[in-house]
Structures are given as structure tokens and as C-alpha cells.
Amino acid sequence: MAGTKVSRRERIKKGIRKRVSGSPERPRLSVYRSNKGIYAQVIDDQSGVTLVSASSQAKDFSVSGNKVEQSKAVGKLIAEKALAAGISKVVFDRNGYLYHGRVKSLAEGAREAGLDF
């Protein structure tokens, strides 16, 4: 059996990370979801460097509303930062979470702002 929710997510995450890897040409957009907020990073796995990041808990983030609306705003923010850094194509890493709700909303926001994945 899967055990706890966290151990299930970690097992799924391992399987995803076997197939998904970021490169300098197409870095990985990784999502982390907590009870209070959502976080996104664009990562180059070959050099082990975070290129850009965004969070709903950042001091400069001022979007109010429910968590799904905040996630969409974080997606738009990460896309704007990535495009400013010269990154237009990424590989989406849902990090073991279901592609539903806040994770889906973040992905849709990033796509609407011009990020390609």
C-alpha cells in the first residue's frame, strides 16, 4: 500500500524525476504546494542552479483571493520572470502532486503569460 500521503507523493515524485530533467535550453519548472502557499522554481538540473523563483508568500506578492487565484498569479509571475531571464520553454514538474486545483492553476497562469510547456 501507499502508506501516508507524503510517502505516496514522494514515490510518485521519484518516478517523475526519472523522466523529467531540466537542461540549460529547457529548464524544469518545479512546483511545491503547502497548506498556506504555493512556490515555483525554474531549475537547470545540469548545473544545479535555480534560475528564477516565485512564491505566494513573498513580500512583493500582493494578490488577494482564494488559493487557486493566488496560484494562477504565481504562475503568471514565474512566467514573466522567466521570460525576462530569456527562458521561453520549460519542462513542467508537478513534483508528485495531482495535476488538479492549485497545481493546474499555476500551470495555466504560466502558459497564459507566455511560457511554453
Side-chain angles (χ1 to χ4, degrees):
M1 297 301 284
T4 65
K5 285 183 182 181
V6 175
S7 65
R8 178 183 179 275
R9 187 182 74 81
E10 288 296 324
R11 185 178 49 81
I12 294 169
K13 178 181 171 182
K14 247 193 243 183
I16 291 170
R17 290 287 290 122
K18 283 181 188 175
R19 296 183 300 271
V20 174
S21 180
S23 65
E25 302 82 35
R26 196 170 177 128
R28 174 171 58 99
L29 173 60
S30 180
V31 175
Y32 176 72
R33 188 190 74 188
S34 71
N35 287 338
K36 288 189 175 184
I38 192 155
Y39 310 85
Q41 293 182 324
V42 176
I43 304 165
D44 176 8
D45 287 318
Q46 289 180 353
S47 59
V49 176
T50 299
L51 305 171
V52 290
S53 64
S55 165
S56 62
Q57 299 296 308
K59 290 182 181 180
D60 60 343
F61 187 77
S62 61
V63 175
S64 61
N66 63 26
K67 292 178 189 175
V68 174
E69 293 167 356
Q70 289 180 356
S71 298
K72 192 164 200 164
V74 170
K76 289 180 181 178
L77 182 63
I78 193 79
E80 290 167 5
K81 287 182 176 183
L83 291 171
I87 302 163
S88 60
K89 291 187 174 190
V90 295
V91 179
F92 188 71
D93 176 13
R94 60 188 175 90
N95 217 356
Y97 300 109
L98 295 177
Y99 187 78
H100 178 77
R102 291 192 280 160
V103 175
K104 183 178 179 181
S105 178
L106 186 140
E108 288 172 352
R111 283 192 185 108
E112 285 177 12
L115 214 53
D116 183 28
F117 58 93

